[in-house]
């Protein structure tokens, strides 16, 4: 009888240990799929811009098939940048990925869409990884933006869309963006493929991740549609 009790107790403790380990492994994973057009996470607008915050919308063609996507629009101030970040612990080393809808522009001016990372709302600075599908030189690119640059971008890396995709983008489509930040360096992924090179991120030690939209070349409407947003923070 004692042996049976010990065996049951051992199995029980083992199960408790497994549950605790599983909880620990997933404690630093944050997701938002905007199911049926409703955000699951709390999002906050970047205080140095104009109060635009991400919302959800019903989307029966959503990339993960749950009937909804997230949408950030720069509508509050008539055509400036918009940034909305997920409210989580501020992170130093992390991996973020999301499906971002990229639309070709008819000219050199137009909207750009992408992700923001190492967002520091207190100091007013961040990095952004976007698609800019203008009609002349469509690209994916990374830039630093901060109050110390008067919120103008300092471009850090360009990947011509034709080289990455193998063709000139002719229609709007979702692309899976990935950003790995570790020890002050950022590496970038597109549809699971690692892009060439890395970017120094030492201007911002830690921050949030989020969604970015802007209109390049003047004032105009811009929106960024995202889905299957996932953040994994390293311990």
């Amino acid at each position: 009888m004692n042996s049976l009790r010990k065996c049951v107790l051992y199995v029980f403790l083992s199960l408790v240990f497994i549950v605790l380990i599983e909880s620990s492994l997933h404690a630093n994973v944050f997701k938002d799929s905007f199911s049926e057009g409703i955000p699951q996470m709390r999002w906050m607008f970047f205080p140095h811009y104009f109060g635009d915050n991400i919302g959800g919308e019903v989307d029966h063609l959503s990339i993960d098939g749950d009937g909804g996507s997230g949408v950030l629009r720069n509508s509050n101030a008539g055509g400036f940048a918009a940034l909305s970040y997920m409210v989580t612990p501020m992170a130093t080393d992390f991996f973020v990925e999301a499906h971002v809808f990229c639309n070709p522009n008819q000219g050199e001016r137009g909207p750009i869409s992408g992700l923001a990372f190492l967002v520091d709302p207190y100091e007013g600075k961040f990095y952004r990884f976007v698609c800019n599908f203008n009609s002349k030189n469509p690209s994916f690119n990374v830039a630093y933006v901060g109050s110390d640059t008067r919120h103008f971008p300092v471009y850090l890396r360009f990947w011509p869309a034709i080289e990455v995709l193998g063709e000139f983008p002719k229609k709007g489509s979702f692309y899976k963006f990935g950003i790995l930040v570790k020890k002050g360096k950022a590496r970038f992924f597109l549809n699971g493929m690692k892009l060439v090179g890395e970017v120094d991120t030492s201007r911002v030690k830690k921050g949030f991740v989020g969604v970015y939209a802007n209109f390049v070349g003047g004032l105009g409407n811009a929106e960024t549609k995202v889905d299957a947003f996932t953040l994994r923070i390293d311990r």
Side-chain angles (χ1 to χ4, degrees):
M1 195 59 148
N2 287 337
S3 297
L4 179 60
R5 286 178 179 174
K6 286 181 180 180
C7 183
V8 171
L9 180 60
Y10 175 79
V11 171
F12 173 76
L13 291 176
S14 298
L15 290 173
V16 169
F17 180 74
I18 290 171
V19 169
L20 289 174
I21 289 294
E22 287 290 320
S23 299
S24 175
L25 288 174
H26 295 287
N28 293 321
V29 178
F30 305 90
K31 297 183 178 183
D32 203 328
S33 66
F34 305 94
S35 179
E36 298 297 330
I38 301 172
Q40 286 87 52
M41 293 290 295
R42 183 183 169 215
W43 294 79
M44 180 62 67
F45 59 84
F46 188 60
H48 300 269
Y49 285 165
F50 302 96
D52 299 282
N53 205 8
I54 197 168
E57 68 175 23
V58 174
D59 181 2
H60 297 297
L61 298 177
S62 64
I63 198 72
D64 56 6
D66 65 359
S69 297
V71 180
L72 173 67
R73 296 184 174 93
N74 69 339
S75 55
N76 280 351
F80 291 94
L83 195 167
S84 177
Y85 62 90
M86 183 187 283
V87 179
T88 64
M90 295 182 79
T92 299
D93 295 341
F94 57 88
F95 178 71
V96 58
E97 69 177 2
H99 286 81
V100 177
F101 195 86
C102 298
N103 239 337
N105 304 328
Q106 297 304 313
E108 293 185 44
R109 300 169 64 246
I112 61 175
S113 302
L115 303 182
F117 63 102
L118 288 172
V119 179
D120 185 343
Y122 311 106
E123 297 292 331
K125 52 189 179 181
F126 61 92
Y127 295 86
R128 94 286 190 280
F129 175 37
V130 303
C131 50
N132 179 358
F133 284 180
N134 63 58
S135 61
K136 186 177 181 180
N137 296 304
S139 72
F140 299 91
N141 64 76
V142 180
Y144 166 80
V145 183
S147 55
D148 54 338
T149 67
R150 294 188 298 161
H151 296 289
F152 286 101
V154 176
Y155 290 97
L156 303 172
R157 193 95 196 186
F158 284 86
W159 296 274
I162 297 173
E163 291 183 12
V164 175
L165 304 177
E167 61 181 359
F168 198 97
K170 298 181 179 66
K171 62 179 182 178
S173 181
F174 273 106
Y175 298 89
K176 186 166 71 171
F177 282 37
I179 307 168
L180 175 66
V181 177
K182 197 170 186 66
K183 295 182 179 179
K185 302 288 184 182
R187 297 169 180 84
F188 303 88
F189 301 81
L190 187 72
N191 296 336
M193 176 184 70
K194 183 181 180 298
L195 300 179
V196 175
E198 62 183 23
V199 166
D200 181 276
T201 58
S202 58
R203 288 199 193 205
V204 188
K205 301 302 181 186
K206 63 179 180 178
F208 302 101
V209 299
V211 179
Y212 180 83
N214 200 357
F215 190 93
V216 173
L219 299 180
N221 296 327
E223 73 171 32
T224 297
K225 181 184 287 189
V226 298
D227 205 359
F229 194 105
T230 302
L231 167 67
R232 296 179 178 87
I233 300 176
D234 290 350
R235 290 188 175 278

